[in-house]
mmCIF file of all heavy atoms in Angstrom:
data_model
loop_
_atom_site.group_PDB
_atom_site.id
_atom_site.type_symbol
_atom_site.label_atom_id
_atom_site.label_comp_id
_atom_site.label_asym_id
_atom_site.label_seq_id
_atom_site.Cartn_x
_atom_site.Cartn_y
_atom_site.Cartn_z
ATOM 1 N N ILE A 40 91.016 -27.699 18.732
ATOM 2 C CA ILE A 40 91.867 -28.816 19.190
ATOM 3 C C ILE A 40 91.866 -29.878 18.091
ATOM 4 O O ILE A 40 91.015 -30.017 17.261
ATOM 5 C CB ILE A 40 91.388 -29.421 20.577
ATOM 6 C CG1 ILE A 40 89.818 -29.775 20.398
ATOM 7 C CG2 ILE A 40 91.565 -28.514 21.708
ATOM 8 C CD1 ILE A 40 89.310 -30.564 21.612
ATOM 9 N N TYR A 63 64.917 -38.073 14.932
ATOM 10 C CA TYR A 63 65.342 -37.147 15.888
ATOM 11 C C TYR A 63 66.813 -36.821 15.690
ATOM 12 O O TYR A 63 67.450 -35.854 16.241
ATOM 13 C CB TYR A 63 65.115 -37.652 17.340
ATOM 14 C CG TYR A 63 65.881 -38.900 17.596
ATOM 15 C CD1 TYR A 63 67.082 -38.830 18.402
ATOM 16 C CD2 TYR A 63 65.445 -40.158 17.293
ATOM 17 C CE1 TYR A 63 67.797 -40.014 18.659
ATOM 18 C CE2 TYR A 63 66.206 -41.327 17.586
ATOM 19 C CZ TYR A 63 67.333 -41.267 18.305
ATOM 20 O OH TYR A 63 68.009 -42.354 18.608
ATOM 21 N N GLU A 83 96.843 -31.627 19.974
ATOM 22 C CA GLU A 83 97.249 -30.175 19.672
ATOM 23 C C GLU A 83 96.125 -29.372 20.197
ATOM 24 O O GLU A 83 94.992 -29.661 20.016
ATOM 25 C CB GLU A 83 97.380 -30.128 18.109
ATOM 26 C CG GLU A 83 97.934 -28.787 17.704
ATOM 27 C CD GLU A 83 98.002 -28.716 16.166
ATOM 28 O OE1 GLU A 83 98.227 -29.765 15.519
ATOM 29 O OE2 GLU A 83 97.902 -27.613 15.595
ATOM 30 N N ASN A 124 85.436 -46.650 29.448
ATOM 31 C CA ASN A 124 84.252 -46.785 30.307
ATOM 32 C C ASN A 124 83.254 -45.613 30.180
ATOM 33 O O ASN A 124 82.028 -45.660 30.487
ATOM 34 C CB ASN A 124 84.589 -46.819 31.735
ATOM 35 C CG ASN A 124 85.414 -48.074 32.042
ATOM 36 O OD1 ASN A 124 86.129 -48.199 33.056
ATOM 37 N ND2 ASN A 124 85.408 -49.093 31.222
ATOM 38 N N LEU A 126 82.286 -44.505 27.443
ATOM 39 C CA LEU A 126 81.411 -44.915 26.333
ATOM 40 C C LEU A 126 80.428 -45.959 26.753
ATOM 41 O O LEU A 126 79.507 -46.363 26.000
ATOM 42 C CB LEU A 126 82.189 -45.260 25.039
ATOM 43 C CG LEU A 126 83.009 -44.244 24.432
ATOM 44 C CD1 LEU A 126 83.937 -44.858 23.324
ATOM 45 C CD2 LEU A 126 82.179 -43.141 23.767
ATOM 46 N N PHE A 278 61.630 -42.616 25.178
ATOM 47 C CA PHE A 278 62.497 -41.508 25.586
ATOM 48 C C PHE A 278 63.829 -41.559 24.867
ATOM 49 O O PHE A 278 64.131 -42.574 24.242
ATOM 50 C CB PHE A 278 62.801 -41.567 27.173
ATOM 51 C CG PHE A 278 63.805 -42.686 27.444
ATOM 52 C CD1 PHE A 278 65.111 -42.336 27.831
ATOM 53 C CD2 PHE A 278 63.481 -43.920 27.474
ATOM 54 C CE1 PHE A 278 65.998 -43.392 28.090
ATOM 55 C CE2 PHE A 278 64.329 -44.970 27.704
ATOM 56 C CZ PHE A 278 65.647 -44.703 28.116
#
Side-chain angles (χ1 to χ4, degrees):
I40 51 173
Y63 65 98
E83 188 180 328
N124 298 162
L126 294 170
F278 75 105

